[in-house]
Amino acid sequence: MPELPEVEHISRALNQAVSGAKVISVEIRLPRLIAGVSPTTFRRHLRNSSITSVGRRGKWILFQLDSNRVLMVHLRMTGKFVTLSPEQPVPPYAHVIFYLADERRLVYCDMRQFGRLTVVANNKIEASDSLKALAPEPFSQNFNSDYLRTAMSKSRRSIKEFLLDQTRVLGLGNIYASEALFLARINPRSAANSISRLRVERLLEAIRNTLDEAIASGSTLRIDLTDGDGDYIGTDERFWRVYEREGEPCVNCGAAIKRLVQGARSSYYCPRCQR
DNA sequence: ACCCTCACCTGCACGC
DNA sequence: TGCGTGCAGGTGAGGG
């Protein structure tokens, strides 16, 4: 499900819901999802720790613990968090259950089981295997046109595939990569190292605007962690301009949106606007 | 350093 | 109805 904007909202919702909560025990139903440490160590490091705040780095959700450790969770495709009151049943695909001192349960659910959970020491977090190679945060000063131009100049891959590489550009996924290229009016097939300076500038702005707009529109939706599936509520509307719109008219020029496959994943673009 | 392929899972929509 | 296929908002290992 999530790209950076969704992870941003989920981490905000979690920060509201479980900051200050104390974990009294952890039930690991699917040990494969625990990475980096053994399930036993994972449980030991979580037990009797309080969550002081929840944030994110890229698409990783970071639960800061008062034990000077961080619980790191990546939702991958189908990971979700739900909080349950004592009378609520455990939902399907519940793989890790955190029992909280206030009698609630924080449940990690994941239909496809691609997600990962790990725990690391505070002072090792940025150097951890998961985070060390990530590109700068898209809204930080370090993610600027010099950075992007240099990174792109080293890559012969298509710009669409380049944008999905979290070590080059952080936060876009398959939807927002197409959306950003549409805003920047760049063809997804263009080689990353072939794109003009002007277009790199446009792409930088398009990446920021795409993420920014997605975060802003999501903020009116809110995530309800108690609704049983942890999903966005009340939206069937697609505010995407090209994604999943094959054959529909381009919002700019009316030409039919096209779909192509790159790196085994769908890309959508306007053949007239994106040359 | 870069980049390609395969792997990891379950479910759903679709066509025959 | 059943079965095969393709596809799904993501990475990571391994190898060239």
Side-chain angles (χ1 to χ4, degrees), chain A residues 20-21 46 69 71 81 87-88 95 118 120 136 186 188 214 258 262:
Chain A
L46 266 294
R69 290 194 175 93
L71 165 63
F81 274 106
E87 67 276 9
Q88 285 178 291
H95 302 312
T118 189
V120 298
I186 296 170
K258 288 198 168 186
Q262 298 179 285

Side-chain angles (χ1 to χ4, degrees), chain A residues 160 174-175 178 243 259-268:
Chain A
K160 165 65 175 358
N174 204 40
I175 293 177
S178 281
Y243 189 78
R259 170 181 180 270
L260 74 142
V261 175
Q262 298 179 285
R265 314 199 66 195
S266 298
S267 300
Y268 298 85

Side-chain angles (χ1 to χ4, degrees), chain A residues 5-18:
Chain A
E6 291 74 27
V7 174
E8 175 67 26
H9 281 293
I10 291 163
S11 76
R12 286 183 199 173
L14 285 166
N15 189 51
Q16 288 290 312
V18 298

Side-chain angles (χ1 to χ4, degrees), chain A residues 133-151:
Chain A
L134 293 183
E137 282 293 321
F139 295 110
S140 72
Q141 293 294 313
N142 292 336
F143 185 68
N144 52 43
S145 52
D146 281 346
Y147 168 84
L148 186 58
R149 196 177 335 109
T150 304

